[in-house]
PDB file of all heavy atoms in Angstrom:
ATOM      1  N   ALA A   1      75.838  58.299 122.795  1.00 81.00           N
ATOM      2  CA  ALA A   1      75.960  57.298 121.737  1.00 81.00           C
ATOM      3  C   ALA A   1      75.778  58.013 120.407  1.00 81.00           C
ATOM      4  O   ALA A   1      75.074  59.020 120.311  1.00 81.00           O
ATOM      5  CB  ALA A   1      74.917  56.211 121.914  1.00 81.00           C
ATOM      6  N   PHE A   2      76.406  57.462 119.400  1.00 74.00           N
ATOM      7  CA  PHE A   2      76.394  58.112 118.093  1.00 74.00           C
ATOM      8  C   PHE A   2      75.615  57.295 117.089  1.00 74.00           C
ATOM      9  O   PHE A   2      75.667  56.056 117.105  1.00 74.00           O
ATOM     10  CB  PHE A   2      77.836  58.322 117.615  1.00 74.00           C
ATOM     11  CG  PHE A   2      78.613  59.182 118.556  1.00 74.00           C
ATOM     12  CD1 PHE A   2      79.370  58.605 119.570  1.00 74.00           C
ATOM     13  CD2 PHE A   2      78.548  60.554 118.466  1.00 74.00           C
ATOM     14  CE1 PHE A   2      80.066  59.399 120.465  1.00 74.00           C
ATOM     15  CE2 PHE A   2      79.246  61.358 119.357  1.00 74.00           C
ATOM     16  CZ  PHE A   2      80.002  60.774 120.365  1.00 74.00           C
ATOM     17  N   HIS A   3      74.878  57.979 116.237  1.00 64.00           N
ATOM     18  CA  HIS A   3      74.152  57.310 115.168  1.00 64.00           C
ATOM     19  C   HIS A   3      75.154  56.659 114.227  1.00 64.00           C
ATOM     20  O   HIS A   3      76.218  57.223 113.957  1.00 64.00           O
ATOM     21  CB  HIS A   3      73.274  58.301 114.394  1.00 64.00           C
ATOM     22  CG  HIS A   3      72.162  58.845 115.208  1.00 64.00           C
ATOM     23  ND1 HIS A   3      71.041  58.125 115.489  1.00 64.00           N
ATOM     24  CD2 HIS A   3      72.014  60.040 115.838  1.00 64.00           C
ATOM     25  CE1 HIS A   3      70.232  58.851 116.238  1.00 64.00           C
ATOM     26  NE2 HIS A   3      70.800  60.019 116.465  1.00 64.00           N
ATOM     27  N   PRO A   4      74.823  55.484 113.713  1.00 56.00           N
ATOM     28  CA  PRO A   4      75.776  54.805 112.834  1.00 56.00           C
ATOM     29  C   PRO A   4      75.930  55.515 111.505  1.00 56.00           C
ATOM     30  O   PRO A   4      75.043  56.233 111.060  1.00 56.00           O
ATOM     31  CB  PRO A   4      75.152  53.426 112.642  1.00 56.00           C
ATOM     32  CG  PRO A   4      73.697  53.640 112.885  1.00 56.00           C
ATOM     33  CD  PRO A   4      73.601  54.739 113.908  1.00 56.00           C
ATOM     34  N   ASP A   5      77.058  55.287 110.895  1.00 50.00           N
ATOM     35  CA  ASP A   5      77.313  55.764 109.546  1.00 50.00           C
ATOM     36  C   ASP A   5      76.334  55.047 108.610  1.00 50.00           C
ATOM     37  O   ASP A   5      76.248  53.821 108.635  1.00 50.00           O
ATOM     38  CB  ASP A   5      78.754  55.427 109.181  1.00 50.00           C
ATOM     39  CG  ASP A   5      79.115  55.775 107.756  1.00 50.00           C
ATOM     40  OD1 ASP A   5      78.275  56.360 107.031  1.00 50.00           O
ATOM     41  OD2 ASP A   5      80.239  55.456 107.352  1.00 50.00           O
ATOM     42  N   PRO A   6      75.561  55.769 107.788  1.00 44.00           N
ATOM     43  CA  PRO A   6      74.602  55.100 106.903  1.00 44.00           C
ATOM     44  C   PRO A   6      75.248  54.028 106.020  1.00 44.00           C
ATOM     45  O   PRO A   6      74.623  53.024 105.717  1.00 44.00           O
ATOM     46  CB  PRO A   6      74.032  56.237 106.050  1.00 44.00           C
ATOM     47  CG  PRO A   6      74.225  57.458 106.886  1.00 44.00           C
ATOM     48  CD  PRO A   6      75.484  57.221 107.673  1.00 44.00           C
ATOM     49  N   ALA A   7      76.515  54.208 105.643  1.00 43.00           N
ATOM     50  CA  ALA A   7      77.184  53.193 104.826  1.00 43.00           C
ATOM     51  C   ALA A   7      77.350  51.903 105.611  1.00 43.00           C
ATOM     52  O   ALA A   7      77.301  50.812 105.048  1.00 43.00           O
ATOM     53  CB  ALA A   7      78.541  53.703 104.357  1.00 43.00           C
ATOM     54  N   ALA A   8      77.527  52.002 106.937  1.00 45.00           N
ATOM     55  CA  ALA A   8      77.693  50.802 107.764  1.00 45.00           C
ATOM     56  C   ALA A   8      76.409  49.996 107.827  1.00 45.00           C
ATOM     57  O   ALA A   8      76.445  48.789 108.032  1.00 45.00           O
ATOM     58  CB  ALA A   8      78.148  51.194 109.160  1.00 45.00           C
ATOM     59  N   LEU A   9      75.265  50.664 107.663  1.00 40.00           N
ATOM     60  CA  LEU A   9      73.997  49.942 107.694  1.00 40.00           C
ATOM     61  C   LEU A   9      73.897  48.935 106.552  1.00 40.00           C
ATOM     62  O   LEU A   9      73.211  47.924 106.669  1.00 40.00           O
ATOM     63  CB  LEU A   9      72.821  50.915 107.619  1.00 40.00           C
ATOM     64  CG  LEU A   9      72.638  51.815 108.825  1.00 40.00           C
ATOM     65  CD1 LEU A   9      71.560  52.844 108.539  1.00 40.00           C
ATOM     66  CD2 LEU A   9      72.314  51.017 110.060  1.00 40.00           C
ATOM     67  N   LEU A  10      74.569  49.218 105.460  1.00 38.00           N
ATOM     68  CA  LEU A  10      74.510  48.333 104.306  1.00 38.00           C
ATOM     69  C   LEU A  10      75.620  47.298 104.327  1.00 38.00           C
ATOM     70  O   LEU A  10      75.637  46.379 103.526  1.00 38.00           O
ATOM     71  CB  LEU A  10      74.603  49.157 103.015  1.00 38.00           C
ATOM     72  CG  LEU A  10      73.514  50.203 102.854  1.00 38.00           C
ATOM     73  CD1 LEU A  10      73.781  51.035 101.611  1.00 38.00           C
ATOM     74  CD2 LEU A  10      72.147  49.550 102.787  1.00 38.00           C
ATOM     75  N   ASN A  11      76.541  47.439 105.248  1.00 41.00           N
ATOM     76  CA  ASN A  11      77.710  46.576 105.293  1.00 41.00           C
ATOM     77  C   ASN A  11      77.416  45.361 106.151  1.00 41.00           C
ATOM     78  O   ASN A  11      77.067  45.480 107.309  1.00 41.00           O
ATOM     79  CB  ASN A  11      78.876  47.383 105.880  1.00 41.00           C
ATOM     80  CG  ASN A  11      80.163  46.618 105.844  1.00 41.00           C
ATOM     81  OD1 ASN A  11      80.183  45.431 105.527  1.00 41.00           O
ATOM     82  ND2 ASN A  11      81.237  47.284 106.180  1.00 41.00           N
ATOM     83  N   ASP A  12      77.545  44.185 105.606  1.00 40.00           N
ATOM     84  CA  ASP A  12      77.291  42.959 106.354  1.00 40.00           C
ATOM     85  C   ASP A  12      78.541  42.430 107.037  1.00 40.00           C
ATOM     86  O   ASP A  12      78.517  41.355 107.613  1.00 40.00           O
ATOM     87  CB  ASP A  12      76.731  41.876 105.435  1.00 40.00           C
ATOM     88  CG  ASP A  12      75.274  42.102 105.129  1.00 40.00           C
ATOM     89  OD1 ASP A  12      74.610  42.856 105.850  1.00 40.00           O
ATOM     90  OD2 ASP A  12      74.804  41.504 104.162  1.00 40.00           O
ATOM     91  N   ALA A  13      79.639  43.139 106.966  1.00 38.00           N
ATOM     92  CA  ALA A  13      80.870  42.657 107.583  1.00 38.00           C
ATOM     93  C   ALA A  13      80.750  42.738 109.097  1.00 38.00           C
ATOM     94  O   ALA A  13      80.151  43.664 109.623  1.00 38.00           O
ATOM     95  CB  ALA A  13      82.048  43.511 107.110  1.00 38.00           C
ATOM     96  N   PRO A  14      81.335  41.783 109.819  1.00 39.00           N
ATOM     97  CA  PRO A  14      81.248  41.808 111.274  1.00 39.00           C
ATOM     98  C   PRO A  14      81.776  43.090 111.903  1.00 39.00           C
ATOM     99  O   PRO A  14      81.266  43.528 112.902  1.00 39.00           O
ATOM    100  CB  PRO A  14      82.090  40.605 111.703  1.00 39.00           C
ATOM    101  CG  PRO A  14      82.049  39.684 110.536  1.00 39.00           C
ATOM    102  CD  PRO A  14      81.980  40.581 109.324  1.00 39.00           C
ATOM    103  N   GLU A  15      82.761  43.710 111.272  1.00 40.00           N
ATOM    104  CA  GLU A  15      83.296  44.930 111.849  1.00 40.00           C
ATOM    105  C   GLU A  15      82.312  46.093 111.753  1.00 40.00           C
ATOM    106  O   GLU A  15      82.515  47.130 112.356  1.00 40.00           O
ATOM    107  CB  GLU A  15      84.641  45.309 111.227  1.00 40.00           C
ATOM    108  CG  GLU A  15      84.618  45.506 109.744  1.00 40.00           C
ATOM    109  CD  GLU A  15      84.847  44.211 108.963  1.00 40.00           C
ATOM    110  OE1 GLU A  15      84.753  43.107 109.522  1.00 40.00           O
ATOM    111  OE2 GLU A  15      85.108  44.302 107.763  1.00 40.00           O
ATOM    112  N   ALA A  16      81.229  45.925 111.017  1.00 40.00           N
ATOM    113  CA  ALA A  16      80.223  46.978 110.929  1.00 40.00           C
ATOM    114  C   ALA A  16      79.452  47.117 112.230  1.00 40.00           C
ATOM    115  O   ALA A  16      78.762  48.086 112.434  1.00 40.00           O
ATOM    116  CB  ALA A  16      79.244  46.697 109.789  1.00 40.00           C
ATOM    117  N   GLY A  17      79.577  46.158 113.116  1.00 46.00           N
ATOM    118  CA  GLY A  17      78.896  46.232 114.399  1.00 46.00           C
ATOM    119  C   GLY A  17      77.441  45.838 114.281  1.00 46.00           C
ATOM    120  O   GLY A  17      76.992  45.330 113.261  1.00 46.00           O
ATOM    121  N   PRO A  18      76.670  46.080 115.351  1.00 47.00           N
ATOM    122  CA  PRO A  18      75.291  45.645 115.388  1.00 47.00           C
ATOM    123  C   PRO A  18      74.418  46.246 114.304  1.00 47.00           C
ATOM    124  O   PRO A  18      73.338  45.768 114.051  1.00 47.00           O
ATOM    125  CB  PRO A  18      74.812  46.078 116.769  1.00 47.00           C
ATOM    126  CG  PRO A  18      76.013  46.438 117.537  1.00 47.00           C
ATOM    127  CD  PRO A  18      77.114  46.683 116.563  1.00 47.00           C
ATOM    128  N   THR A  19      74.883  47.315 113.641  1.00 55.00           N
ATOM    129  CA  THR A  19      74.085  47.912 112.585  1.00 55.00           C
ATOM    130  C   THR A  19      74.004  47.008 111.362  1.00 55.00           C
ATOM    131  O   THR A  19      73.291  47.305 110.426  1.00 55.00           O
ATOM    132  CB  THR A  19      74.668  49.279 112.174  1.00 55.00           C
ATOM    133  OG1 THR A  19      76.014  49.081 111.765  1.00 55.00           O
ATOM    134  CG2 THR A  19      74.586  50.269 113.317  1.00 55.00           C
ATOM    135  N   ALA A  20      74.740  45.902 111.370  1.00 72.00           N
ATOM    136  CA  ALA A  20      74.692  44.982 110.235  1.00 72.00           C
ATOM    137  C   ALA A  20      73.372  44.225 110.176  1.00 72.00           C
ATOM    138  O   ALA A  20      73.093  43.584 109.175  1.00 72.00           O
ATOM    139  CB  ALA A  20      75.858  43.988 110.313  1.00 72.00           C
ATOM    140  N   TRP A  21      72.562  44.286 111.227  1.00 83.00           N
ATOM    141  CA  TRP A  21      71.269  43.616 111.177  1.00 83.00           C
ATOM    142  C   TRP A  21      70.390  44.301 110.133  1.00 83.00           C
ATOM    143  O   TRP A  21      70.430  45.511 109.982  1.00 83.00           O
ATOM    144  CB  TRP A  21      70.569  43.698 112.532  1.00 83.00           C
ATOM    145  CG  TRP A  21      71.332  43.129 113.682  1.00 83.00           C
ATOM    146  CD1 TRP A  21      71.689  43.793 114.811  1.00 83.00           C
ATOM    147  CD2 TRP A  21      71.825  41.795 113.834  1.00 83.00           C
ATOM    148  NE1 TRP A  21      72.375  42.948 115.649  1.00 83.00           N
ATOM    149  CE2 TRP A  21      72.475  41.718 115.079  1.00 83.00           C
ATOM    150  CE3 TRP A  21      71.790  40.655 113.040  1.00 83.00           C
ATOM    151  CZ2 TRP A  21      73.071  40.554 115.553  1.00 83.00           C
ATOM    152  CZ3 TRP A  21      72.385  39.497 113.510  1.00 83.00           C
ATOM    153  CH2 TRP A  21      73.013  39.453 114.746  1.00 83.00           C
ATOM    154  N   PRO A  22      69.583  43.533 109.427  1.00 88.00           N
ATOM    155  CA  PRO A  22      68.710  44.162 108.436  1.00 88.00           C
ATOM    156  C   PRO A  22      67.602  44.968 109.114  1.00 88.00           C
ATOM    157  O   PRO A  22      67.240  44.694 110.257  1.00 88.00           O
ATOM    158  CB  PRO A  22      68.118  42.963 107.674  1.00 88.00           C
ATOM    159  CG  PRO A  22      68.236  41.811 108.601  1.00 88.00           C
ATOM    160  CD  PRO A  22      69.442  42.084 109.461  1.00 88.00           C
ATOM    161  N   THR A  23      67.101  45.925 108.389  1.00 90.00           N
ATOM    162  CA  THR A  23      65.960  46.675 108.910  1.00 90.00           C
ATOM    163  C   THR A  23      64.745  45.755 108.906  1.00 90.00           C
ATOM    164  O   THR A  23      64.695  44.782 108.131  1.00 90.00           O
ATOM    165  CB  THR A  23      65.647  47.895 108.021  1.00 90.00           C
ATOM    166  OG1 THR A  23      65.238  47.432 106.736  1.00 90.00           O
ATOM    167  CG2 THR A  23      66.849  48.822 107.909  1.00 90.00           C
ATOM    168  N   PRO A  24      63.757  46.040 109.727  1.00 93.00           N
ATOM    169  CA  PRO A  24      62.541  45.224 109.682  1.00 93.00           C
ATOM    170  C   PRO A  24      61.902  45.204 108.291  1.00 93.00           C
ATOM    171  O   PRO A  24      61.411  44.168 107.842  1.00 93.00           O
ATOM    172  CB  PRO A  24      61.620  45.896 110.702  1.00 93.00           C
ATOM    173  CG  PRO A  24      62.548  46.575 111.654  1.00 93.00           C
ATOM    174  CD  PRO A  24      63.723  47.016 110.807  1.00 93.00           C
ATOM    175  N   GLU A  25      61.943  46.333 107.614  1.00 93.00           N
ATOM    176  CA  GLU A  25      61.353  46.396 106.267  1.00 93.00           C
ATOM    177  C   GLU A  25      62.048  45.437 105.314  1.00 93.00           C
ATOM    178  O   GLU A  25      61.395  44.767 104.508  1.00 93.00           O
ATOM    179  CB  GLU A  25      61.411  47.833 105.715  1.00 93.00           C
ATOM    180  CG  GLU A  25      60.589  48.832 106.494  1.00 93.00           C
ATOM    181  CD  GLU A  25      61.262  49.321 107.789  1.00 93.00           C
ATOM    182  OE1 GLU A  25      62.481  49.124 107.966  1.00 93.00           O
ATOM    183  OE2 GLU A  25      60.545  49.878 108.625  1.00 93.00           O
ATOM    184  N   ASP A  26      63.365  45.369 105.401  1.00 92.00           N
ATOM    185  CA  ASP A  26      64.107  44.456 104.534  1.00 92.00           C
ATOM    186  C   ASP A  26      63.910  43.003 104.960  1.00 92.00           C
ATOM    187  O   ASP A  26      63.726  42.128 104.127  1.00 92.00           O
ATOM    188  CB  ASP A  26      65.602  44.791 104.556  1.00 92.00           C
ATOM    189  CG  ASP A  26      65.923  46.087 103.840  1.00 92.00           C
ATOM    190  OD1 ASP A  26      65.111  46.537 103.015  1.00 92.00           O
ATOM    191  OD2 ASP A  26      66.998  46.662 104.120  1.00 92.00           O
ATOM    192  N   ALA A  27      63.948  42.760 106.262  1.00 93.00           N
ATOM    193  CA  ALA A  27      63.837  41.386 106.759  1.00 93.00           C
ATOM    194  C   ALA A  27      62.489  40.770 106.436  1.00 93.00           C
ATOM    195  O   ALA A  27      62.402  39.595 106.078  1.00 93.00           O
ATOM    196  CB  ALA A  27      64.076  41.359 108.265  1.00 93.00           C
ATOM    197  N   TYR A  28      61.437  41.571 106.562  1.00 95.00           N
ATOM    198  CA  TYR A  28      60.082  41.028 106.415  1.00 95.00           C
ATOM    199  C   TYR A  28      59.410  41.441 105.104  1.00 95.00           C
ATOM    200  O   TYR A  28      58.189  41.362 104.973  1.00 95.00           O
ATOM    201  CB  TYR A  28      59.230  41.456 107.613  1.00 95.00           C
ATOM    202  CG  TYR A  28      59.835  41.048 108.937  1.00 95.00           C
ATOM    203  CD1 TYR A  28      60.010  41.968 109.962  1.00 95.00           C
ATOM    204  CD2 TYR A  28      60.258  39.742 109.161  1.00 95.00           C
ATOM    205  CE1 TYR A  28      60.576  41.595 111.180  1.00 95.00           C
ATOM    206  CE2 TYR A  28      60.828  39.357 110.373  1.00 95.00           C
ATOM    207  CZ  TYR A  28      60.977  40.287 111.365  1.00 95.00           C
ATOM    208  OH  TYR A  28      61.534  39.915 112.569  1.00 95.00           O
ATOM    209  N   ALA A  29      60.219  41.851 104.129  1.00 94.00           N
ATOM    210  CA  ALA A  29      59.675  42.335 102.853  1.00 94.00           C
ATOM    211  C   ALA A  29      58.791  41.311 102.167  1.00 94.00           C
ATOM    212  O   ALA A  29      57.778  41.663 101.558  1.00 94.00           O
ATOM    213  CB  ALA A  29      60.809  42.754 101.923  1.00 94.00           C
ATOM    214  N   THR A  30      59.129  40.046 102.246  1.00 94.00           N
ATOM    215  CA  THR A  30      58.344  39.007 101.562  1.00 94.00           C
ATOM    216  C   THR A  30      57.538  38.152 102.539  1.00 94.00           C
ATOM    217  O   THR A  30      56.989  37.126 102.137  1.00 94.00           O
ATOM    218  CB  THR A  30      59.281  38.092 100.755  1.00 94.00           C
ATOM    219  OG1 THR A  30      60.197  37.449 101.655  1.00 94.00           O
ATOM    220  CG2 THR A  30      60.045  38.879  99.695  1.00 94.00           C
ATOM    221  N   ALA A  31      57.474  38.579 103.786  1.00 94.00           N
ATOM    222  CA  ALA A  31      56.761  37.787 104.799  1.00 94.00           C
ATOM    223  C   ALA A  31      55.259  37.795 104.536  1.00 94.00           C
ATOM    224  O   ALA A  31      54.700  38.802 104.098  1.00 94.00           O
ATOM    225  CB  ALA A  31      57.038  38.352 106.185  1.00 94.00           C
ATOM    226  N   PRO A  32      54.611  36.671 104.823  1.00 94.00           N
ATOM    227  CA  PRO A  32      53.143  36.654 104.727  1.00 94.00           C
ATOM    228  C   PRO A  32      52.548  37.641 105.729  1.00 94.00           C
ATOM    229  O   PRO A  32      53.231  38.076 106.670  1.00 94.00           O
ATOM    230  CB  PRO A  32      52.767  35.216 105.105  1.00 94.00           C
ATOM    231  CG  PRO A  32      54.020  34.431 105.013  1.00 94.00           C
ATOM    232  CD  PRO A  32      55.150  35.392 105.231  1.00 94.00           C
ATOM    233  N   GLY A  33      51.286  37.948 105.570  1.00 94.00           N
ATOM    234  CA  GLY A  33      50.616  38.856 106.497  1.00 94.00           C
ATOM    235  C   GLY A  33      50.648  38.322 107.922  1.00 94.00           C
ATOM    236  O   GLY A  33      50.743  37.111 108.152  1.00 94.00           O
ATOM    237  N   ILE A  34      50.530  39.229 108.870  1.00 94.00           N
ATOM    238  CA  ILE A  34      50.578  38.846 110.280  1.00 94.00           C
ATOM    239  C   ILE A  34      49.457  37.875 110.617  1.00 94.00           C
ATOM    240  O   ILE A  34      49.671  36.903 111.350  1.00 94.00           O
ATOM    241  CB  ILE A  34      50.560  40.095 111.179  1.00 94.00           C
ATOM    242  CG1 ILE A  34      51.933  40.791 111.114  1.00 94.00           C
ATOM    243  CG2 ILE A  34      50.214  39.743 112.623  1.00 94.00           C
ATOM    244  CD1 ILE A  34      52.049  42.043 111.929  1.00 94.00           C
ATOM    245  N   THR A  35      48.267  38.094 110.097  1.00 94.00           N
ATOM    246  CA  THR A  35      47.148  37.197 110.384  1.00 94.00           C
ATOM    247  C   THR A  35      47.456  35.785 109.904  1.00 94.00           C
ATOM    248  O   THR A  35      47.191  34.807 110.614  1.00 94.00           O
ATOM    249  CB  THR A  35      45.859  37.725 109.731  1.00 94.00           C
ATOM    250  OG1 THR A  35      45.623  39.063 110.181  1.00 94.00           O
ATOM    251  CG2 THR A  35      44.668  36.848 110.072  1.00 94.00           C
ATOM    252  N   TYR A  36      48.013  35.662 108.718  1.00 95.00           N
ATOM    253  CA  TYR A  36      48.388  34.342 108.205  1.00 95.00           C
ATOM    254  C   TYR A  36      49.429  33.686 109.103  1.00 95.00           C
ATOM    255  O   TYR A  36      49.331  32.498 109.414  1.00 95.00           O
ATOM    256  CB  TYR A  36      48.937  34.472 106.774  1.00 95.00           C
ATOM    257  CG  TYR A  36      49.396  33.139 106.223  1.00 95.00           C
ATOM    258  CD1 TYR A  36      48.493  32.289 105.606  1.00 95.00           C
ATOM    259  CD2 TYR A  36      50.718  32.734 106.355  1.00 95.00           C
ATOM    260  CE1 TYR A  36      48.907  31.053 105.110  1.00 95.00           C
ATOM    261  CE2 TYR A  36      51.138  31.500 105.874  1.00 95.00           C
ATOM    262  CZ  TYR A  36      50.230  30.672 105.256  1.00 95.00           C
ATOM    263  OH  TYR A  36      50.637  29.443 104.785  1.00 95.00           O
ATOM    264  N   GLU A  37      50.427  34.449 109.529  1.00 95.00           N
ATOM    265  CA  GLU A  37      51.482  33.885 110.377  1.00 95.00           C
ATOM    266  C   GLU A  37      50.941  33.479 111.753  1.00 95.00           C
ATOM    267  O   GLU A  37      51.388  32.487 112.319  1.00 95.00           O
ATOM    268  CB  GLU A  37      52.644  34.862 110.524  1.00 95.00           C
ATOM    269  CG  GLU A  37      53.516  34.956 109.288  1.00 95.00           C
ATOM    270  CD  GLU A  37      54.242  33.652 108.968  1.00 95.00           C
ATOM    271  OE1 GLU A  37      53.652  32.803 108.274  1.00 95.00           O
ATOM    272  OE2 GLU A  37      55.390  33.480 109.415  1.00 95.00           O
ATOM    273  N   ILE A  38      49.980  34.234 112.277  1.00 95.00           N
ATOM    274  CA  ILE A  38      49.354  33.844 113.540  1.00 95.00           C
ATOM    275  C   ILE A  38      48.661  32.495 113.359  1.00 95.00           C
ATOM    276  O   ILE A  38      48.807  31.594 114.192  1.00 95.00           O
ATOM    277  CB  ILE A  38      48.358  34.917 114.033  1.00 95.00           C
ATOM    278  CG1 ILE A  38      49.115  36.162 114.491  1.00 95.00           C
ATOM    279  CG2 ILE A  38      47.469  34.361 115.154  1.00 95.00           C
ATOM    280  CD1 ILE A  38      48.221  37.359 114.782  1.00 95.00           C
ATOM    281  N   ALA A  39      47.912  32.351 112.271  1.00 95.00           N
ATOM    282  CA  ALA A  39      47.212  31.088 112.012  1.00 95.00           C
ATOM    283  C   ALA A  39      48.205  29.944 111.834  1.00 95.00           C
ATOM    284  O   ALA A  39      47.998  28.841 112.374  1.00 95.00           O
ATOM    285  CB  ALA A  39      46.318  31.232 110.786  1.00 95.00           C
ATOM    286  N   TRP A  40      49.276  30.171 111.077  1.00 94.00           N
ATOM    287  CA  TRP A  40      50.272  29.117 110.861  1.00 94.00           C
ATOM    288  C   TRP A  40      50.926  28.712 112.177  1.00 94.00           C
ATOM    289  O   TRP A  40      51.091  27.531 112.463  1.00 94.00           O
ATOM    290  CB  TRP A  40      51.335  29.590 109.864  1.00 94.00           C
ATOM    291  CG  TRP A  40      52.344  28.529 109.558  1.00 94.00           C
ATOM    292  CD1 TRP A  40      52.283  27.597 108.562  1.00 94.00           C
ATOM    293  CD2 TRP A  40      53.558  28.254 110.283  1.00 94.00           C
ATOM    294  NE1 TRP A  40      53.380  26.774 108.626  1.00 94.00           N
ATOM    295  CE2 TRP A  40      54.179  27.148 109.665  1.00 94.00           C
ATOM    296  CE3 TRP A  40      54.168  28.829 111.385  1.00 94.00           C
ATOM    297  CZ2 TRP A  40      55.374  26.613 110.108  1.00 94.00           C
ATOM    298  CZ3 TRP A  40      55.367  28.303 111.840  1.00 94.00           C
ATOM    299  CH2 TRP A  40      55.960  27.205 111.206  1.00 94.00           C
ATOM    300  N   THR A  41      51.308  29.708 112.983  1.00 93.00           N
ATOM    301  CA  THR A  41      51.962  29.431 114.257  1.00 93.00           C
ATOM    302  C   THR A  41      51.025  28.677 115.199  1.00 93.00           C
ATOM    303  O   THR A  41      51.430  27.708 115.845  1.00 93.00           O
ATOM    304  CB  THR A  41      52.444  30.744 114.916  1.00 93.00           C
ATOM    305  OG1 THR A  41      53.306  31.425 114.001  1.00 93.00           O
ATOM    306  CG2 THR A  41      53.193  30.495 116.203  1.00 93.00           C
ATOM    307  N   ALA A  42      49.774  29.096 115.274  1.00 94.00           N
ATOM    308  CA  ALA A  42      48.809  28.416 116.148  1.00 94.00           C
ATOM    309  C   ALA A  42      48.564  26.988 115.677  1.00 94.00           C
ATOM    310  O   ALA A  42      48.515  26.059 116.495  1.00 94.00           O
ATOM    311  CB  ALA A  42      47.499  29.200 116.186  1.00 94.00           C
ATOM    312  N   SER A  43      48.425  26.796 114.381  1.00 92.00           N
ATOM    313  CA  SER A  43      48.203  25.452 113.837  1.00 92.00           C
ATOM    314  C   SER A  43      49.396  24.549 114.126  1.00 92.00           C
ATOM    315  O   SER A  43      49.230  23.389 114.541  1.00 92.00           O
ATOM    316  CB  SER A  43      47.960  25.545 112.327  1.00 92.00           C
ATOM    317  OG  SER A  43      47.894  24.257 111.769  1.00 92.00           O
ATOM    318  N   THR A  44      50.583  25.063 113.947  1.00 89.00           N
ATOM    319  CA  THR A  44      51.785  24.278 114.215  1.00 89.00           C
ATOM    320  C   THR A  44      51.907  23.964 115.701  1.00 89.00           C
ATOM    321  O   THR A  44      52.264  22.844 116.079  1.00 89.00           O
ATOM    322  CB  THR A  44      53.036  25.027 113.709  1.00 89.00           C
ATOM    323  OG1 THR A  44      52.866  25.301 112.311  1.00 89.00           O
ATOM    324  CG2 THR A  44      54.295  24.210 113.917  1.00 89.00           C
TER     325      THR A  44
END
């Protein structure tokens, strides 16, 4: 298997393949702390 083209990582087009998913750092950049989310999830 081949590492993706770094430019494809930034491409949100469907033809970019599965690499179009955001990195965890980007996806969770503004997420509350894990402890807070555990409390919210348990309360809900």
Side-chain angles (χ1 to χ4, degrees):
F2 300 93
H3 293 284
D5 175 4
L9 293 173
L10 301 175
N11 186 352
D12 283 342
E15 58 272 15
T19 57
W21 303 122
T23 65
E25 296 79 15
D26 289 340
Y28 304 129
T30 61
I34 286 179
T35 304
Y36 177 86
E37 285 295 87
I38 290 171
W40 183 90
T41 304
S43 173
T44 303

